[in-house]
Amino acid sequence: MIDKISPSLMSPVGKMESLSKVQTNNVSFSELLKQSLNEVNKAQGASDSMTEALASGRKVELHDVMIAAEKASVMMLTTIEIRNKAVEAYQEISRMQM
């Protein structure tokens, strides 16, 4: 069972750091998952607030709003795909003969 993973090897959008930057400290898998979901939530919140600011007429550049929305969308889709792969792996393992 995976219990620890280096945070530099995985992130919500796949911002993989180069091998020369790999850190030696380990973080529990559940903590890494919590951090990743918090990052996705922050991106969604930033996108929502920028969209609201644009709609209410505050000075916000349209391209900045679109970039924030696309970033949040990509992060959410990546999170969903990671979840789907984890469920598939769990189902495959549960089908194995002991």
Side-chain angles (χ1 to χ4, degrees):
M1 179 169 195
I2 297 177
D3 177 54
K4 297 205 181 263
I5 190 166
S6 173
S8 62
L9 296 177
M10 184 178 147
S11 69
V13 185
K15 296 184 281 185
M16 300 285 286
E17 293 191 10
S18 67
L19 292 176
S20 63
K21 295 181 182 178
V22 173
Q23 299 173 356
T24 57
N25 60 343
N26 291 330
V27 175
S28 71
F29 182 75
S30 62
E31 187 62 34
L32 180 66
L33 185 61
K34 188 185 300 183
Q35 290 172 359
S36 297
L37 291 175
N38 284 336
E39 289 293 320
V40 172
N41 191 37
K42 284 180 194 175
Q44 291 287 336
S47 174
D48 290 347
S49 65
M50 289 184 79
T51 302
E52 185 178 310
L54 181 68
S56 65
R58 286 186 258 154
K59 186 173 175 144
V60 178
E61 295 292 330
L62 177 62
H63 65 273
D64 290 334
V65 175
M66 295 304 296
I67 290 170
E70 193 62 29
K71 180 180 176 183
S73 175
V74 168
M75 290 176 79
M76 181 59 79
L77 290 174
T78 302
T79 301
I80 291 169
E81 285 302 316
I82 291 170
R83 182 214 51 196
N84 291 345
K85 290 296 179 181
V87 169
E88 286 176 24
Y90 174 78
Q91 290 172 342
E92 187 67 29
I93 290 171
S94 67
R95 281 186 239 131
M96 288 182 176
Q97 297 287 330
M98 294 285 175

